[in-house]
Amino acid sequence: MARGPAAGIGGGLLPARAGTALVASAPLLLGVVLAALVCFPFLSGRLLLLDFVSGPHQPIMPATSFGLNGGLTGGVPLAIGLRLLDRLIGPAGSVVPAAVFYPLATTGAARLVRNAVLPARLGAGLFYAVNPFVFDRLYAGQLGLLLGYALLPFAVTAFLDASREPHHVARAACWAGATVMMSQHFAWILVPGIAAIIVTQPGRARASMRLSGAALGAAAIS
């Protein structure tokens, strides 16, 4: 008699865990498939786009990191990372940002659709990663903007958590800081999202204080 309930409990836990793992990993697998379909033709050479021109023998630290060339420094971490990739793996490193975009975008969008069935999460990830905006920015070579776009759902999710729990404030600041590192446009794109989170929370005063702290932390990181 003791073995029957134990077997039943174990039998119920394993399918539940398998289902949870499937729901968590399916958007990531979808992103990997999309990345393979889009980026496989580029693996044989160096990726060159309108605003994305990579090449060998570039200094790891771009001139903009020293305040030169009159450029904004928002994309400096990404530029350094791309040049390190070129040093490590050669021309194929130019494809990495485009390939990384799809798993990030599908996973981030799926996380925003909380407590939803798997088809809804996959649909959210698919439409967030495959749409005219993404095609246009990829064609224009604005890979930093695309990576910031992919990280945006993670930042919004972190801000939602921070508005309810104070121990999530630092995590929200880190996600927002990483998003702005990809493209400085997200410094103001996040503002309406933060405002919408504040006005929809029951305790607006506490939520505004927590999110203000997260925003200050992101500004310090930036």
Side-chain angles (χ1 to χ4, degrees):
M1 293 179 63
R3 296 170 62 183
I9 293 173
L13 285 176
L14 290 178
R17 290 177 180 174
T20 302
L22 176 63
V23 171
S25 61
L28 175 62
L29 295 176
L30 173 64
V32 171
V33 171
L34 292 174
L37 292 174
V38 173
C39 299
F40 179 75
F42 307 134
L43 291 178
S44 59
R46 185 179 295 276
L47 183 61
L48 299 175
L49 301 169
L50 293 179
D51 290 343
F52 181 77
V53 180
S54 65
H57 313 302
Q58 297 188 62
I60 293 179
M61 297 294 291
T64 50
S65 61
F66 303 103
L68 304 177
N69 288 352
L72 295 172
T73 58
V76 167
L78 177 62
I80 294 173
L82 292 175
R83 294 180 183 188
L84 285 173
L85 282 173
D86 189 82
R87 295 286 183 90
L88 293 174
I89 60 178
S94 62
V95 187
V96 171
V100 168
F101 162 77
Y102 288 96
L104 282 176
T106 55
T107 304
R111 289 184 64 184
L112 275 178
V113 189
R114 298 183 175 183
N115 301 322
V117 295
L118 182 59
R121 292 167 61 87
L122 291 177
L126 178 63
F127 284 107
Y128 192 75
V130 181
N131 56 67
F133 170 79
V134 171
F135 171 79
D136 186 61
R137 295 306 92 197
L138 182 61
Y139 178 77
Q142 296 179 358
L143 298 183
L145 182 66
L146 279 181
L147 289 174
Y149 171 80
L151 292 178
L152 184 60
F154 292 96
V156 172
T157 301
F159 275 112
L160 278 168
D161 294 336
S163 67
R164 298 162 185 162
E165 299 291 340
H167 61 274
H168 289 295
V169 171
R171 184 166 64 92
C174 290
W175 276 115
T179 304
V180 175
M181 282 182 192
M182 299 297 105
S183 175
Q184 60 274 5
H185 297 84
F186 292 95
W188 61 265
I189 290 175
L190 281 167
V191 171
I194 294 173
I197 292 172
I198 291 174
V199 299
T200 55
Q201 295 301 311
R204 295 180 184 176
R206 292 182 179 179
S208 61
M209 290 179 61
R210 292 167 183 164
L211 296 191
S212 296
L216 289 175
I221 294 172
S222 300

